[in-house]
Amino acid sequence: MRSAISRPARRRAAVWTIFAVAAALVLAVWLPAFGAARAAEDSRVVYTASIEGTIDAGMEGYVKRVVRQAQENGASLLVFEINTLGGRLDSAEQIGQSIRASQVPTVAYVRSTATSAGSYIALNAGKLIMQPGSSIGAAAVVTADGRPVTDAKVVSHWASQMRAAAELRGRDPRIAEAMVRSELELELPAIGKTVKSGEILSLSAEEALKVGYADGMAGSLSDVLKMEGFESAHQETVRLSLAERLASFLTNPVVMTLLFIVGIAGVAIELIVPGFGVPGVLGICGFGLYFFGQYAAGAAGYEHVLLFVLGIALLTAEMFVPSFGLLGVAGVASLGAGIVLAARDTAHALVSLGFGSAVAVGIVIIFAIAFRDRGIWNRFILRDRLSSEEGYVASEDRRHLQGMTGKALTPLRPSGTILIEGRQVDVVANGRFIGAGSTVKVIDTDGTRVVVEEVEPHPPGS
């Protein structure tokens, strides 16, 4: 019986079958390769961190941690979002060095502003991308209250740091120096701008791009990742930890001074006027917070805490062991060394410690005067009065025996013992021998001396 399917139809079916098998084989080979390529692309990790707010010791510890984690976890890119008006120059230098030394490629993304210390941090990154409308520059050195620093050494050092950061990435170092020094004059024909003497240079995102300081502009972090070819990579955001936030607060010079006042006053009051407990606890908490802040900022170590504890122990020993002041001097030196060496900035620590010590001494003096009856000096000074009003007498008062009569228990030659109202009393006879059993009368008392005389017996019937 012949098949109902014609020969041309069978040929077409065979062709389609071969085509389908070939397509399946191609897909079987291509899809796994495509999936592997996608998997390899998605396996890349981009670390992002935010440098926002004041640049200080806490931010320094945070950036160092981010760089370390990115390197340890094999990140492919490290992006720092920057929005800061600046802060401490020493912390900015440390942050810049950490970014510069990163083994992971780095990008600084200026979201709003990167002025002062923030501009230095941004220039140290491998690439600088800015958000439209953002700015960079105005890196003049100023004090905490905003006054320009006139110390030539400080200004020169910071200007050299800015120049070095610019040269590191192939940027014009004169522009970086003009961001610091107001006495420089600089022509910028690319943007039609002239920096005159007395001005500090600041560049907008568009200007920075034209003079070769910015490598591009992006409206968001996603755009930055797309520009760098990491739009499909896994993104790992590292945020400030609680310890780093506390370090930023506790390492503030004003807060440090307050901690010194509480610490010194509390410990000194507890040592000099013991028995309260609260001042001692507050003092320990004050110093504990100080060392915690410095440790979280990466400055303090266990050796500094040990120096401090040793100082407290020596000062305590000075109060009980006579050492002619040697233990006290050693204690103060050890305590001060532990505090100052633990600080990120020893100069600021010395100033804060000096001011805090002066205020704490005043508080301790007031407290010691108010509670002078409880001071430690009362352990070494006898303050009780040996007076009759306080209930103290040198010996028993025998004036009440005056005129009383008793019987001699022993012969009085001239001293002996008599019995008065059932009580034995040592007495002295007045000039002559008195035999035992005789009746006597107290005629005089002088301290412990009781003088008696014999009472002549009355004749019967008298």
Side-chain angles (χ1 to χ4, degrees):
M1 182 177 180
R2 287 188 173 183
S3 172
I5 303 175
S6 63
R7 184 176 296 177
R10 287 199 299 271
R11 289 178 179 175
R12 287 196 297 271
V15 170
W16 280 109
T17 301
I18 294 171
F19 178 78
V21 171
L25 289 174
V26 169
L27 289 176
V29 173
W30 181 73
L31 282 178
F34 176 77
R38 294 288 297 179
E41 182 182 3
D42 292 341
S43 66
R44 295 180 303 171
V45 179
V46 175
Y47 269 66
T48 61
S50 180
I51 300 178
E52 191 167 4
T54 304
I55 304 300
D56 52 23
M59 184 64 68
E60 174 188 339
Y62 164 66
V63 172
K64 289 181 178 179
R65 178 171 65 89
V66 171
V67 172
R68 184 175 63 253
Q69 288 183 0
Q71 293 178 164
E72 292 175 351
N73 295 326
S76 301
L77 186 68
L78 177 54
V79 180
F80 290 99
E81 294 187 78
I82 300 177
N83 180 20
T84 177
L85 296 175
R88 295 178 59 90
L89 300 187
D90 54 352
S91 294
E93 288 186 35
Q94 293 295 321
I95 292 174
Q97 291 176 12
S98 297
I99 294 176
R100 189 164 62 239
S102 172
Q103 298 175 8
V104 178
T106 56
V107 173
Y109 175 49
V110 179
R111 282 196 294 108
S112 178
T113 180
T115 58
S116 189
S119 60
Y120 173 77
I121 294 172
L123 292 178
N124 276 280
K127 285 189 177 181
L128 173 57
I129 299 175
M130 300 182 67
Q131 188 180 56
S134 61
S135 62
I136 186 172
V141 185
V142 296
T143 60
D145 55 2
R147 292 178 299 172
V149 173
T150 58
D151 190 335
K153 291 183 179 179
V154 175
V155 175
S156 178
H157 170 74
W158 183 239
S160 67
Q161 292 293 314
M162 289 287 290
R163 287 180 62 93
E167 291 174 343
L168 177 69
R169 306 304 180 186
R171 301 184 177 99
D172 188 348
R174 298 177 302 163
I175 295 177
E177 189 170 5
M179 293 178 178
V180 179
R181 295 183 182 274
S182 61
E183 67 271 17
L184 293 183
E185 294 187 359
L186 184 63
E187 293 286 342
L188 298 175
I191 57 176
K193 189 173 186 178
T194 300
V195 181
K196 299 179 181 180
S197 179
E199 296 179 350
I200 295 295
L201 178 60
S202 180
L203 298 173
S204 66
E206 293 76 10
E207 291 173 336
L209 185 61
K210 290 179 180 179
V211 299
Y213 258 54
D215 297 296
M217 289 196 299
S220 65
L221 179 60
S222 299
D223 294 337
V224 173
L225 298 181
K226 186 178 294 185
M227 290 174 60
E228 297 301 311
F230 287 88
E231 65 273 15
S232 61
H234 175 70
Q235 183 178 329
E236 189 75 30
T237 301
V238 184
R239 305 187 186 279
L240 274 167
S241 66
L242 177 61
E244 288 158 349
R245 294 179 186 275
L246 283 175
S248 298
F249 174 74
L250 296 175
T251 54
N252 183 284
V254 176
V255 177
M256 281 173 52
T257 303
L258 293 176
L259 291 177
F260 286 147
I261 293 173
V262 173
I264 295 172
V267 172
I269 289 172
E270 196 62 41
L271 290 176
I272 297 175
V273 190
F276 290 95
V278 175
V281 172
L282 291 177
I284 293 173
C285 289
F287 282 120
L289 288 173
Y290 166 75
F291 281 107
F292 173 78
Q294 299 298 331
Y295 177 80
Y302 294 113
E303 65 276 11
H304 304 122
V305 178
L306 290 176
L307 274 175
F308 174 80
V309 173
L310 177 61
I312 294 293
L314 290 174
L315 288 175
T316 305
E318 174 63 29
M319 297 183 176
F320 300 96
V321 180
S323 66
F324 303 101
L326 294 178
L327 290 176
V329 172
V332 171
S334 179
L335 188 147
I339 291 174
V340 174
L341 295 177
R344 176 67 183 83
D345 189 328
T346 55
H348 280 104
L350 281 172
V351 173
S352 297
L353 181 60
F355 183 79
S357 298
V359 176
V361 167
I363 295 175
V364 172
I365 291 175
I366 295 173
F367 208 90
I369 293 174
F371 297 93
R372 56 185 177 274
D373 293 336
R374 299 181 61 169
I376 194 171
W377 43 80
N378 287 305
R379 299 183 180 182
F380 311 106
I381 301 174
L382 179 62
R383 294 190 175 273
D384 291 333
R385 294 181 298 169
L386 304 180
S387 62
S388 58
E389 290 81 2
E390 298 294 333
Y392 293 95
V393 293
S395 60
E396 183 183 0
D397 188 358
R398 298 187 176 186
R399 289 177 293 179
H400 66 284
L401 299 177
Q402 185 81 28
M404 297 180 66
T405 59
K407 179 181 290 188
L409 295 179
T410 64
L412 307 182
R413 300 191 181 95
S415 61
T417 304
I418 67 172
L419 183 67
I420 298 179
E421 294 184 348
R423 178 184 177 188
Q424 295 183 10
V425 180
D426 293 329
V427 299
V428 178
N430 185 21
R432 66 174 187 168
F433 170 81
I434 300 176
S438 301
T439 301
V440 296
K441 179 181 179 181
V442 178
I443 61 174
D444 190 21
T445 58
D446 182 14
T448 59
R449 187 168 179 267
V450 179
V451 182
V452 298
E453 65 178 5
E454 186 179 7
V455 178
E456 295 292 342
H458 296 287
S462 61

